[in-house]
Amino acid sequence: MRHLCALVCLLVSLLLAPAANIAQEYGEAISAENLQRLRSHDRIDFAGFDIKLKIGWFAANDDATEFVLFDQSGEIYGISYSGDSQPGLNRLEQSAQPFALIDGIQLQGEPVILHQLDGQYLINENMLRNGHVPIALFHGISEDDLFVEATDDDGQTQFLHYWLDRKTGDLSLRDAIPFPDRAGDAPAMRLGRINFPVVMVSALAESMLYFDIYPDSFGEFGVKEFQLVNGPAVFGVVNAPAASHLAWTNPSREELNLLDLGTGENRIVAALDGAYPQYLLLSKDGSAILAVNLDFQPAVVAWNVESGQRYDLGPYRECGRIPDNVELSRDGRALIIGCDTGLDIWRVFE
């Protein structure tokens, strides 16, 4: 396990460096008011490193200045980049044992790595002993909580609630939360790319949408239900961390919608005319929707949800394929696009 301790220690020292004034150095939070000023600001080129990075998956810290990446062989790297110098890269030692990265996040500026090592599942150096098969990691509600989506022996989805002691690195299981299946026997699907603590289930025949958020509605009662006039919803994204709105489309992708999850009011934002958004994102305040690789075009498009005005913001970095990962930073100030050639970081400046 020594390589994992070294991995975590190196990344922690990398990620806990003092930050500059975020408002000045890292731009404004992306919103409808500043979409016309959102542009590619920083780039990390994989070709600039003496290693074979060809995978655009990343785990970013809150202000998108520190990243965890991995290569085809599973070796993990930490990259620090402030935009004013050549990005620094730390190569982290790899075990000779069979290793596979499953997921990773940055929790309060510290890397949390879910992986399989020699047939065992671990989070950092902590072995998971509950018999579940872990699939994904999610940020917790309080600063030292995290959740693991996993399947049990019966193939049922559960969310495992852990607490991470940052002083000792120890991990303790607090609770196992069953998946809130609300649609019953009706044909239904879970909306993907919506991170826990939110779970969305769409009943396809009835165009009903079931909205659960932990811990408020994970009991027997409390689920919110929405009847979608132009549904059903099959693709969508929720703004984080507020989870106040859902941007969504139906199977034919005729229109782009915004659903207010508090009032149930639905707004048709724009016509899509069947165009497929490979990545759909919603600004932190819910005022702007962004699409990356819309209708297979290597560009960024955005809409003001109130006026419906569309902004064609231009192409992202040249990539050999559709991006592997696209996210908004947790502080809402950066759009991060990762592909086989590197990372493209978009920000809002005057």
Side-chain angles (χ1 to χ4, degrees):
M1 301 300 175
R2 291 181 179 177
H3 76 288
L4 288 175
C5 294
L7 181 156
V8 175
C9 292
L10 280 172
L11 280 176
V12 168
S13 64
L14 173 69
L15 298 174
L16 292 183
N21 186 305
I22 292 178
Q24 295 178 1
E25 188 166 348
Y26 303 133
E28 305 169 20
I30 299 169
S31 71
E33 295 181 355
N34 55 37
L35 286 175
Q36 70 276 12
R37 293 189 280 116
L38 177 62
R39 64 185 185 274
S40 178
H41 186 265
D42 302 320
R43 288 189 178 181
I44 297 176
D45 298 317
F46 291 164
F49 301 111
D50 190 24
I51 55 174
K52 293 183 179 179
L53 284 172
K54 293 290 184 181
I55 300 172
W57 177 91
F58 59 84
N61 67 343
D62 288 357
D63 58 21
T65 58
E66 313 287 351
F67 304 91
V68 175
L69 304 169
F70 76 103
D71 64 14
Q72 292 93 323
S73 65
E75 293 188 75
I76 300 177
Y77 302 85
I79 288 184
S80 173
Y81 188 52
S82 61
D84 56 2
S85 61
Q86 180 69 16
L89 179 143
N90 283 300
R91 182 172 182 169
L92 305 169
E93 192 65 31
Q94 163 100 1
S95 170
Q97 297 173 305
F99 175 93
L101 176 68
I102 299 172
D103 201 2
I105 61 172
Q106 300 208 30
L107 187 66
Q108 295 297 310
E110 299 182 15
V112 180
I113 307 298
L114 172 63
H115 61 283
Q116 188 177 34
L117 179 65
D118 196 24
Q120 302 294 326
Y121 295 106
L122 300 97
I123 294 179
N124 293 353
E125 68 272 23
N126 297 278
M127 187 175 297
L128 306 183
R129 304 178 182 278
N130 49 43
H132 293 65
V133 178
I135 298 170
L137 279 177
F138 302 107
H139 291 86
I141 299 170
S142 62
E143 63 179 20
D144 294 317
D145 286 333
L146 70 150
F147 292 90
V148 176
E149 182 174 342
T151 56
D152 60 19
D153 293 337
D154 297 324
Q156 300 300 310
T157 297
Q158 293 197 352
F159 300 98
L160 307 178
H161 180 193
Y162 286 96
W163 183 75
L164 180 65
D165 189 328
R166 289 188 289 164
K167 292 182 179 179
T168 65
D170 294 336
L171 192 72
S172 57
L173 179 63
R174 290 190 163 184
D175 196 10
I177 306 150
F179 184 87
D181 185 8
R182 305 294 186 181
D185 296 330
M189 63 172 289
R190 178 183 176 187
L191 270 63
R193 301 184 186 176
I194 293 179
N195 291 341
F196 192 85
V198 172
V199 174
M200 293 274 189
V201 175
S202 180
L204 303 180
E206 298 85 359
S207 291
M208 291 293 297
L209 182 69
Y210 300 91
F211 165 49
D212 283 277
I213 182 167
Y214 179 85
D216 296 349
S217 60
F218 266 63
E220 184 178 354
F221 305 102
V223 62
K224 286 190 175 182
E225 302 178 5
F226 303 97
Q227 180 75 56
L228 303 178
V229 174
N230 56 340
V234 295
F235 186 76
V237 61
V238 172
N239 60 322
S244 61
H245 293 80
L246 169 75
W248 66 278
T249 66
N250 66 9
S252 60
R253 301 184 300 278
E254 298 164 351
E255 297 157 335
L256 181 61
N257 298 265
L258 185 76
L259 176 66
D260 187 318
L261 296 172
T263 66
E265 177 186 1
N266 188 74
R267 176 193 298 269
I268 297 176
V269 176
L272 287 180
D273 299 323
Y276 176 71
Q278 187 69 38
Y279 291 94
L280 200 64
L281 306 108
L282 186 57
S283 65
K284 192 172 182 178
D285 65 357
S287 69
I289 301 173
L290 298 91
V292 175
N293 201 270
L294 178 66
D295 208 22
F296 302 100
Q297 297 302 308
V300 178
V301 177
W303 293 268
N304 180 318
V305 301
E306 184 173 352
S307 67
Q309 181 176 354
R310 171 171 167 161
Y311 297 85
D312 291 289
L313 301 176
Y316 50 81
R317 66 171 303 131
E318 186 174 348
C319 300
R321 58 176 181 259
I322 292 172
D324 298 322
N325 190 19
V326 176
E327 295 180 5
L328 291 178
S329 61
R330 284 180 62 81
D331 67 3
R333 298 174 185 271
L335 166 66
I336 314 158
I337 302 170
C339 66
D340 58 332
T341 59
L343 305 185
D344 199 358
I345 305 162
W346 291 53
R347 297 187 186 276
V348 174
F349 286 96
E350 292 295 340

